[in-house]
Amino acid sequence: MKVMVVGGGGREHAIISKIKENPDVEEIYALPGNGGIAADATCVPEIGATDLDGIVKFAKENPVDFAVVAPDDPLVLGCVDRLEEIGIPCFGPEAKAAIIEGSKIFSKNLMKKYGIPTAAYEVFENADDALEYIKTAPLPTVIKADGLALGKGVIIAETREQAEEAVKSMMIGGKFGKSGARVVIEEFLTGPEVSVLSFTDGKTVVPMISSMDHKRAKDGDKGLNTGGMGTIAPNPYYTPEVADECMEKIFLPTIRAMNQEGRTFKGCLYFGLMITPDGPKVIEYNCRFGDPEAQVVLPLLKTDLLTIMQAVRNETLSEVNVEFADESACCVIMASDGYPVKYEKHYAMTLPEDRTGIFIAGATLEDGTLYTNGGRVLGVTRTADTLPEAIDKAYEAVKTIHFDNEYYRKDIGHRALEALN
Ligand code: AMP
Ligand code: GLY
């Protein structure tokens, strides 16, 4: 079998590493992939993940049996629709279902309509109304750009000045382009956050092992929001009781709601949850695997990933027994110092010979040497019987990797350990 994976970050490397375990897979193409992924797949650097015409053309010229579209942008743009049109079976939602991530206004209205627990909110189409509203809104208040904004479209304003500044930058200053032309302003919720990725074919929903992201750049959850500086799984706040409540009040109602709207979701539906004093609530939906959540969840998956993905595509997920190891995982992201603001790249990297669990996010390969080529450079995942062991092993492995300018958080998993004790 030949498989095409659209995307080129650490998440895609984790997906490709897992797909490679299937003995029927003879070739994997990564569009664009990256210098590190090149060890596991044939990369096509000239075709970017949002170049839908290029992707379709490539697939016509290099027939593939199955495609996985991993990042949000191509999904929202309709990459799966385009590939299915030319007869390539895909894992990932069609554009009309990917809107669950592509528009916060859509997802908030969906949750309101179907009674799915989430923060109270208002939608604003023009800046004057939003500015008027925040004069009296309870603080802190949360301002979200409607559309995709590389995970940076959420501002938690502690003061009215910050709220005003956020509204102005998005709605007047055009900070996120069209994505910020409309905003959602919502209630500030408190409680531990849990990421639950799920496989769904629109009929069955199978939650994967839960995880915890560490979004802030600095230790102690300080500093700016990033794409994610590390993850652990499972998340100790996601108890069996919470899981049952989520299934009944959030997961199944969301699948049914999407069907009801004529937007059946097939693929990986990511539930970003907050366990509030009033129970679990949805902070956000993503239409794809999280990055770096995939880097801890997939290494714990015991069932063949490609088999699950094909069953999702063929709407036979109920026939597959999806199993996870009864273990823990920790992924530490090694970044370029200065990320997410300003950083230098193109430093030579040294890696151990055995690259198991090292998922490269941003690197180029030149004459056999890997050079850093991004804010997030790589993630190191280790699994073990217990979370403390997985964390120790991940940090041990980090010490075997070097590049100038390297930066990583030293406290990935600490909050989870506190919760366990
Ligand atoms: P998102 O991009 O929607 O995941 O939001 C980024 C982060 O902002 C989340 O992971 C939360 O930590 C925080 N956040 C988003 N919405 C809220 C909310 N209503 N209350 C409190 N924190 C929030
Ligand atoms: N790690 C958060 C996300 O992928 O959206």
Side-chain angles (χ1 to χ4, degrees), residues 381-420:
T381 299
R382 288 293 177 264
T383 61
D385 286 339
T386 67
L387 184 60
E389 288 171 87
I391 294 171
D392 285 348
K393 281 170 74 179
Y395 278 106
E396 281 302 310
V398 163
K399 286 191 211 142
T400 67
I401 298 168
H402 303 284
F403 49 89
D404 280 353
N405 213 26
E406 68 186 48
Y407 170 79
Y408 55 91
R409 272 181 64 167
K410 311 283 189 295
D411 67 341
I412 300 303
H414 280 209
R415 204 128 50 85
L417 289 179
E418 280 164 27
L420 283 176

Side-chain angles (χ1 to χ4, degrees), residues 7 76 99 110 137 310 375 395:
V76 171
I99 192 175
L110 184 87
Q310 289 173 310
Y395 278 106

Side-chain angles (χ1 to χ4, degrees), residues 20 29 64 81 125 131 209 265 292 386 419:
K20 240 184 109 175
Y29 298 111
V64 294
D81 311 52
E125 315 247 347
L131 290 170
I209 196 164
F265 190 102
T386 67

Side-chain angles (χ1 to χ4, degrees), residues 104 119 142 144 151 154 156 186-189 193 215 225 274 283-284:
K104 297 231 192 264
V142 184
K144 301 187 169 184
V154 174
I156 297 177
E186 69 178 30
E187 172 198 10
F188 178 74
L189 300 176
E193 288 184 55
K215 284 195 164 104
N225 257 322
M274 197 173 266
I283 290 282
E284 61 163 350

Side-chain angles (χ1 to χ4, degrees), residues 21 49 65 127 140 302 311 335 382:
E21 290 176 10
D65 303 290
K302 291 207 290 189
R382 288 293 177 264

Side-chain angles (χ1 to χ4, degrees), residues 114-352:
Y114 291 92
I116 297 165
T118 189
Y121 71 102
E122 300 279 342
V123 172
F124 295 95
E125 315 247 347
N126 74 68
D128 288 343
D129 292 348
L131 290 170
E132 190 59 34
Y133 175 80
I134 54 177
K135 281 186 187 156
T136 56
L139 293 171
T141 191
V142 184
I143 298 152
K144 301 187 169 184
D146 174 47
L148 297 181
L150 295 168
K152 299 186 179 92
V154 174
I155 294 186
I156 297 177
E158 310 273 351
T159 65
R160 298 208 189 279
E161 291 69 42
Q162 285 170 355
E164 201 175 300
E165 159 66 25
V167 166
K168 284 185 178 160
S169 72
M170 287 186 200
M171 303 188 81
I172 302 171
K175 184 156 181 210
F176 303 113
K178 258 174 43 193
S179 286
R182 301 193 297 162
V183 301
V184 169
I185 301 185
E186 69 178 30
E187 172 198 10
F188 178 74
L189 300 176
T190 56
E193 288 184 55
V194 179
S195 304
V196 180
L197 283 52
S198 70
F199 293 111
T200 178
D201 59 359
K203 298 174 177 160
T204 307
V205 56
V206 180
M208 300 180 219
I209 196 164
S210 61
S211 54
M212 184 192 288
D213 194 4
H214 297 68
K215 284 195 164 104
R216 303 293 202 91
K218 305 281 178 204
D219 286 356
D221 295 321
K222 305 250 163 46
L224 294 172
N225 257 322
T226 70
M229 294 302 295
T231 36
I232 58 97
N235 186 322
Y237 291 104
Y238 192 68
T239 60
E241 295 72 42
V242 172
D244 287 346
E245 195 176 349
C246 288
M247 181 55 96
E248 186 199 333
K249 295 188 178 153
I250 296 175
F251 304 161
L252 289 170
T254 301
I255 303 306
R256 287 190 209 115
M258 290 297 277
N259 287 337
Q260 201 74 35
E261 295 293 309
R263 296 175 184 274
T264 295
F265 190 102
K266 289 165 60 172
C268 173
L269 183 53
Y270 167 136
F271 299 91
L273 307 169
M274 197 173 266
I275 315 303
T276 76
D278 301 327
K281 295 190 180 179
V282 177
I283 290 282
E284 61 163 350
Y285 293 113
N286 290 327
C287 65
R288 49 166 176 91
F289 287 96
D291 186 344
E293 283 89 343
Q295 289 92 311
V296 283
V297 169
L298 293 179
L300 293 172
L301 178 64
K302 291 207 290 189
T303 313
D304 178 60
L305 178 60
L306 187 58
T307 304
I308 301 171
M309 288 178 154
Q310 289 173 310
V312 165
R313 156 64 173 66
N314 298 331
E315 299 177 23
T316 55
L317 182 59
S318 65
E319 293 166 23
V320 182
N321 184 23
V322 179
E323 285 188 298
F324 284 86
D326 190 13
E327 292 175 20
S328 293
C330 174
C331 173
V332 178
I333 297 293
M334 297 181 75
S336 302
D337 195 19
Y339 170 74
V341 183
K342 192 170 169 240
Y343 49 86
E344 286 169 12
K345 45 194 194 184
H346 206 256
Y347 290 110
M349 301 159 62
T350 47
L351 293 161

